[in-house]
Amino acid sequence: MATSLRRRTAGQVSGESIVIEAAWMYYHDGLNQTEIAKLLQVSRATVVNYLQEARERGYIRISLAPEVFTSHQLAQDLREKFGLQAAFVLPRGKGTEEEALMRVARGAADWLPSLLAPGDRLGVAWGRTIFEIAEAIEQTNIADVTVSQLVGSMATPYGFTAEICSAHMARNLGATCINLHAPAVLSDPDLAARLRDEPIIRRQLDALSHCNKALFAAGSCDPDSHIVSSGLASRADLDWYVKQGATGVLCGRFIDAEGQAIPGALDDRMIGITLDNLQGLEVGLLVSEGDAKVVPMLSAIAGGCVTHVVTSNETARLMLQAAG
Amino acid sequence: MATSLRRRTAGQVSGESIVIEAAWMYYHDGLNQTEIAKLLQVSRATVVNYLQEARERGYIRISLAPEVFTSHQLAQDLREKFGLQAAFVLPRGKGTEEEALMRVARGAADWLPSLLAPGDRLGVAWGRTIFEIAEAIEQTNIADVTVSQLVGSMATPYGFTAEICSAHMARNLGATCINLHAPAVLSDPDLAARLRDEPIIRRQLDALSHCNKALFAAGSCDPDSHIVSSGLASRADLDWYVKQGATGVLCGRFIDAEGQAIPGALDDRMIGITLDNLQGLEVGLLVSEGDAKVVPMLSAIAGGCVTHVVTSNETARLMLQAAG
DNA sequence: ACCATGTGCTGACAATTGTCAAAATCTATG
DNA sequence: CATAGATTTTGACAATTGTCAGCACATGGT
């Protein structure tokens, strides 16, 4: 006995919910609200409410044709230059970096469902971008999808953790979720090793190596990057890795310009996917935006685990420029 | 290509088509035309043009959620095709037949109260579907409604009888109930005739002919149909009626493809409403679901006593298909 | 029986969006 | 480089859509 039963029933029009009736007339038949109000014998204001409800309930789906963006000249250039399967390049707009990031995240959220198929096992990394994507994904239902958390959790000052990223993503995809119940980095390599051998963690890590698709962002090696501010690496760690040639961060691992993981002290203390497990996936979706991400993105792509990219036109232009 | 090259290029935003920029801002970012005009430094009217172009070129996709869409479309088609007052087509879902039936029954239960008005006299048939509807109806109170049992009772192996159907229906509707205190079918025509003349039964049958609305399901002529398994007709009876052209069962009476009652030996032995009394009611609500019910439903509709239908999208589709 | 509360509906007004003819701009050509 | 012809942009106005406070009615609790 939902609220709808108290609602008026559309007279001779239909037995279906009057909300759907109104939505149909408006979006399908192209009638305007005044006409609909007359037909349904309610006030126009009520029609407005019905339409709003229809939108809120997700009866109405408005989407921008992805082909338009993926086939943009820049997207095409990215594909050819970097050997990608597809690229989604969307207008940066001229808002703040914050706004640009949100836009890219929403674009990725729009695109992601069409990259997934029933039975997929999707690995999800962590970060501000990933979090926003998880939030922006519309409720969709693809049969039998599993979402796995690619890296351990961190207590962040931002209020979103790796667990929340994967959990929200799973919820919105109607997928089952495999979390990684461990910190991303421990203070002692030995403890990390023992933790990795715990049966629970073992199984979760095993699940990671069976992912066939992955979603990640590129991290920069700036002193104010997430990798430091989240406490995953210390400032000293960062400096050391940069001295070894680090140009970016991927799933918590430092990589050089060739996209190769840089071995270092952190490796043994971390719990999460290793970069060799990201190789050869059906889909490796890299989502990032901003000047600072250009070099890290290029590094990640050089490493060979990226098949799809979502970014802004400005960043895309810089990437192409930097790559000559 | 000619047109777009002359177009202004979005300031620092992009070398890409300004049309897409505008469409993105409008449909994705939710900005209004005034804001977009300011950002793109064009007049608002121009933004209107861009958006129109985006729609014309198919960049924007507006659709009703598929389930809702098909449901509603089918309902509309049913109405037009069969001249119904209204149809309620709900998603069948992908459960078992059992679940689909429950769903349809649930839908009918939700809908029925809105089809009733104070003072109505509702005739209720019998069957698994009707039973579930009676159970699923939420307690509602419509003034001065009377529920009448349309056919006599049978001892069934299912545990629900015609009496229970109407009694539950009446209870949940807050209506008074007129049961038919007689078996649905007797072994001897003479005994049936005498029973029909009994004052008590007489009054109850009279009440039936004063119903202004009715609720019934369509029965199939399959050997394993309810009409046989409930003992209302023997297997031999069924075969005989099928040979006479029976394509369905309505309120215990066999009908042909035109919806006409087929005269036969059973008629004289039955206690219950005759089909001519179902003609011209304000509401004749037919509720059925399943492949086996398609032909019976079409027959019932052809007979002219059906004004409203509740069914699943799959069944509706088959009905329309079968009707050409 | 009464009142408090919640929910849906409505009318009047505010904001947004669509239309159209005229002006501005571009392209091609003599 | 002037001009016709086509296309794009624009401002003013018209139409449509959104908002919100208040009303009507049903429900649940005292």
Side-chain angles (χ1 to χ4, degrees):
Chain A
M1 164 78 85
T3 59
S4 63
L5 282 189
R6 265 210 303 289
R7 279 246 173 77
R8 274 189 201 167
T9 304
Q12 59 262 47
V13 183
S14 156
E16 192 47 87
S17 159
I18 195 168
V19 172
I20 293 173
E21 185 74 26
W24 180 269
M25 289 176 170
Y26 191 76
Y27 288 103
H28 190 267
D29 297 340
L31 306 183
N32 66 33
Q33 297 175 352
T34 310
E35 295 173 295
I36 295 170
K38 203 182 302 173
L39 286 170
L40 297 183
Q41 302 186 301
V42 296
S43 72
R44 197 185 55 73
T46 301
V47 175
V48 174
N49 292 334
Y50 290 164
L51 293 176
Q52 235 159 27
E53 184 171 340
R55 285 186 290 258
E56 275 161 17
R57 288 211 222 164
Y59 292 172
I60 317 299
R61 212 157 284 174
I62 298 182
S63 62
L64 299 184
E67 314 85 78
V68 175
F69 294 94
T70 54
S71 67
H72 269 191
Q73 190 59 46
L74 282 170
Q76 208 151 343
D77 291 347
L78 280 185
R79 280 216 315 277
E80 286 170 15
K81 189 79 179 180
F82 300 115
L84 305 172
Q85 281 181 39
F88 195 136
V89 178
L90 44 92
R92 183 193 181 282
K94 55 176 197 175
T96 62
E97 269 203 29
E98 168 87 9
E99 284 166 342
L101 184 146
M102 293 292 289
R103 249 190 183 191
V104 169
R106 291 185 58 184
D110 282 352
W111 198 26
L112 182 57
S114 69
L115 295 177
L116 295 178
D120 275 344
R121 297 166 303 282
L122 175 69
V124 173
W126 163 81
R128 175 71 201 284
T129 309
I130 306 295
F131 175 76
E132 298 296 351
I133 295 171
E135 289 292 295
I137 279 194
E138 300 261 343
Q139 183 76 34
T140 51
N141 238 308
I142 303 166
D144 191 26
V145 170
T146 304
V147 169
S148 290
Q149 179 179 337
L150 287 177
V151 295
S153 291
M154 288 300 304
T156 77
Y158 306 106
F160 53 85
T161 66
E163 273 163 319
I164 293 181
C165 286
S166 38
H168 282 196
M169 181 82 61
R171 179 170 50 75
N172 286 334
L173 287 174
T176 52
C177 186
I178 300 181
N179 279 316
L180 198 51
H181 296 299
V185 64
L186 296 158
S187 53
D188 176 30
D190 189 48
L191 177 58
R194 277 164 55 192
L195 200 48
R196 273 192 289 265
D197 273 340
E198 275 296 304
I200 296 180
I201 307 294
R202 177 90 279 152
R203 275 198 298 277
Q204 292 168 350
L205 287 171
D206 279 347
L208 287 190
S209 55
H210 293 113
C211 285
N212 63 334
K213 300 183 179 175
L215 169 66
F216 42 79
S220 79
C221 286
D222 295 340
D224 58 342
S225 77
H226 273 166
I227 194 124
V228 171
S229 61
S230 71
L232 202 141
S234 70
R235 179 64 192 273
D237 290 328
L238 177 64
D239 289 346
W240 184 85
Y241 275 104
V242 168
K243 199 172 288 176
Q244 306 301 309
T247 54
V249 179
L250 198 59
C251 293
R253 313 279 176 172
F254 286 93
I255 56 175
D256 62 20
E258 305 307 320
Q260 299 305 306
I262 299 178
L266 270 182
D267 291 337
D268 289 342
R269 289 160 46 207
M270 284 184 62
I271 308 265
I273 198 169
T274 51
L275 294 187
D276 53 316
N277 273 317
L278 284 181
Q279 295 293 327
L281 298 182
E282 292 174 34
V283 170
L285 177 56
L286 173 66
V287 184
S288 287
E289 196 282 332
D291 298 357
K293 299 299 184 65
V294 172
V295 170
M297 288 176 80
L298 292 172
S299 305
I301 290 169
C305 59
V306 180
T307 63
H308 295 65
V309 166
V310 179
T311 191
S312 71
N313 49 8
E314 289 199 2
T315 303
R317 197 173 294 111
L318 290 173
M319 287 171 69
L320 290 163
Q321 199 174 307
Chain B
M1 179 63 78
T3 61
S4 63
L5 282 187
R6 259 209 309 286
R7 274 254 172 73
R8 269 191 206 167
T9 302
Q12 43 200 9
V13 180
S14 154
E16 198 45 81
S17 166
I18 195 172
V19 173
I20 292 174
E21 180 77 19
W24 183 272
M25 288 177 169
Y26 190 75
Y27 288 103
H28 205 272
D29 296 342
L31 305 183
N32 66 33
Q33 297 177 352
T34 311
E35 295 173 296
I36 295 171
K38 205 183 301 173
L39 287 169
L40 297 182
Q41 304 186 303
V42 296
S43 74
R44 197 186 55 73
T46 301
V47 174
V48 174
N49 292 333
Y50 291 165
L51 293 178
Q52 239 161 24
E53 185 169 342
R55 284 187 289 259
E56 276 161 17
R57 289 207 212 169
Y59 293 173
I60 317 299
R61 226 161 275 174
I62 299 182
S63 61
L64 298 185
E67 323 79 77
V68 177
F69 181 93
T70 56
S71 298
H72 195 280
Q73 175 66 49
L74 287 168
Q76 204 155 339
D77 290 349
L78 281 185
R79 283 213 315 277
E80 288 174 15
K81 188 80 182 181
F82 300 115
L84 305 173
Q85 280 180 42
F88 196 158
V89 179
L90 42 92
R92 184 192 181 283
K94 49 179 189 177
T96 62
E97 271 207 37
E98 168 86 10
E99 285 166 353
L101 185 147
M102 292 295 286
R103 223 173 172 178
V104 168
R106 187 66 208 252
D110 284 349
W111 196 23
L112 182 57
S114 68
L115 295 176
L116 296 177
D120 275 340
R121 296 167 304 284
L122 175 69
V124 174
W126 164 81
R128 175 70 202 281
T129 308
I130 306 296
F131 175 76
E132 297 296 349
I133 295 170
E135 289 295 286
I137 279 193
E138 298 273 353
Q139 183 75 35
T140 52
N141 238 306
I142 303 164
D144 193 27
V145 170
T146 303
V147 169
S148 291
Q149 178 180 337
L150 286 178
V151 296
S153 291
M154 288 302 303
T156 77
Y158 305 105
F160 54 85
T161 66
E163 272 160 326
I164 293 181
C165 285
S166 40
H168 281 199
M169 182 83 60
R171 180 171 49 77
N172 285 335
L173 288 173
T176 53
C177 184
I178 300 180
N179 279 316
L180 199 51
H181 295 299
V185 65
L186 295 158
S187 54
D188 181 41
D190 194 50
L191 176 58
R194 278 163 59 190
L195 200 49
R196 274 193 288 266
D197 273 340
E198 272 299 303
I200 297 180
I201 307 292
R202 176 90 277 151
R203 276 200 299 277
Q204 292 168 350
L205 286 172
D206 278 345
L208 286 190
S209 56
H210 292 113
C211 284
N212 64 335
K213 300 183 180 175
L215 168 66
F216 43 79
S220 78
C221 287
D222 296 342
D224 55 349
S225 78
H226 273 165
I227 194 125
V228 171
S229 61
S230 71
L232 203 141
S234 70
R235 178 65 195 270
D237 291 322
L238 176 63
D239 289 345
W240 185 85
Y241 275 104
V242 168
K243 200 171 287 178
Q244 307 301 309
T247 53
V249 179
L250 199 59
C251 292
R253 312 279 176 172
F254 286 91
I255 57 174
D256 62 20
E258 304 305 318
Q260 299 305 307
I262 299 178
L266 269 180
D267 290 334
D268 288 342
R269 290 160 45 205
M270 284 185 62
I271 308 265
I273 196 167
T274 52
L275 293 186
D276 54 327
N277 274 316
L278 283 180
Q279 295 292 327
L281 298 182
E282 291 173 34
V283 170
L285 177 56
L286 174 65
V287 185
S288 286
E289 197 280 334
D291 298 4
K293 299 300 183 68
V294 171
V295 170
M297 289 177 80
L298 291 173
S299 305
I301 291 170
C305 58
V306 179
T307 63
H308 294 64
V309 166
V310 179
T311 191
S312 71
N313 49 7
E314 290 198 3
T315 304
R317 200 172 291 114
L318 289 174
M319 288 172 69
L320 290 164
Q321 198 175 309

